[in-house]
Every structure is written in C-alpha cells, then in structure tokens.
Amino acid sequence: MSVRRAIWGKKQEAIERALKEVDEDLFRYIRDFAYEEVLARPGLDLKTRELLAITALIALGSPKELATHLEGALRVGAKEEEVREAILQAAIFLGFPQALAAMKLFHKVLKGRGFAHPGEG
C-alpha cells in the first residue's frame, strides 16, 4: 500500500486533486519525494512519523495540513491518547496557544470520526 493511501485513506483522490490544482510540479515532489521516498523509509514506523509531523505542523501553524496528519496518525495506528500526548508535549516547546489550537482541531477531527472528546457526553 502506498504511504499516501495509508495516511490519507479515502481522501487521497481529493487531496491529490487539490494539490495538483495548486501546482502540478509541486504535487509530484510531494507525492514522489515526501510521501513515497522519505515517509516510506525504514527506521521509523509510519505512526511515529505522523506524530512527528503533527508536532512540526503545530510549530508551523498549518491547521489544514495538521488536520490531515491528525487523521493520518489515527489511520496508521496511533491511539487517541498518543496523539493527545504529542500535542501536550508540543505545548512545552512550542507554546500553550499553539497546543490549545491543535487540541481544538484534534477534537474536531475526532468528532468527525464519531468520537466524543473528554468533557462531552
């Protein structure tokens, strides 16, 4: 299975279409190099790579991409608790406002997947 399919799931075609609309060459670099070369390398499993991506995207302040990788982390086997811990860990190094925004976004992702976050019934 391709790394993109593992992370993006059923959204793969829509994500690829959106990336192609921005720029065909950039899309190919993202597809071929970032996903199918770097993320497919041995040494780290895909779950770990997604947790690292979450932290980096929190630091960059990229909410759309962060949402994609929050979902991707769950899709490749990260537990809700592991994603929450990655966000909490980011708070110490990246700041509480960034972590708060990421946690709110994670709650939206979970709600979209049919999960209630802590504090909801």
Side-chain angles (χ1 to χ4, degrees):
M1 173 188 302
S2 91
V3 173
R4 287 171 290 123
R5 176 65 66 195
I7 294 171
W8 295 341
K10 294 177 182 177
K11 295 182 178 181
Q12 181 178 354
E13 290 179 16
I15 291 170
E16 289 180 352
R17 192 170 35 256
L19 289 169
K20 283 179 187 177
E21 287 176 7
V22 173
D23 187 84
E24 183 77 31
D25 290 331
L26 183 58
F27 162 70
R28 280 196 311 274
Y29 291 140
I30 292 168
R31 179 193 64 201
D32 298 341
F33 179 68
Y35 279 86
E36 301 306 334
E37 283 192 41
V38 177
L39 291 176
R41 290 177 50 82
L44 290 175
D45 61 30
L46 206 44
K47 177 178 86 170
T48 302
R49 290 182 186 279
E50 282 298 275
L51 293 172
L52 290 167
I54 287 167
T55 303
L57 291 165
I58 292 170
L60 290 171
S62 300
K64 184 174 181 182
E65 291 79 6
L66 177 57
T68 296
H69 288 278
L70 289 166
E71 287 187 39
L74 295 170
R75 197 172 285 117
V76 298
K79 294 177 175 60
E80 178 182 343
E81 179 183 7
E82 292 172 312
V83 175
R84 288 185 70 252
E85 288 300 321
I87 294 169
L88 292 171
Q89 175 79 14
I92 339 177
F93 296 98
L94 304 174
F96 286 92
Q98 291 86 338
L100 181 60
M103 195 66 78
K104 287 178 180 179
L105 184 57
F106 186 46
H107 290 170
K108 286 182 184 177
V109 166
L110 288 173
K111 196 171 190 175
R113 293 173 64 95
F115 297 102
H117 66 78
E120 286 188 354

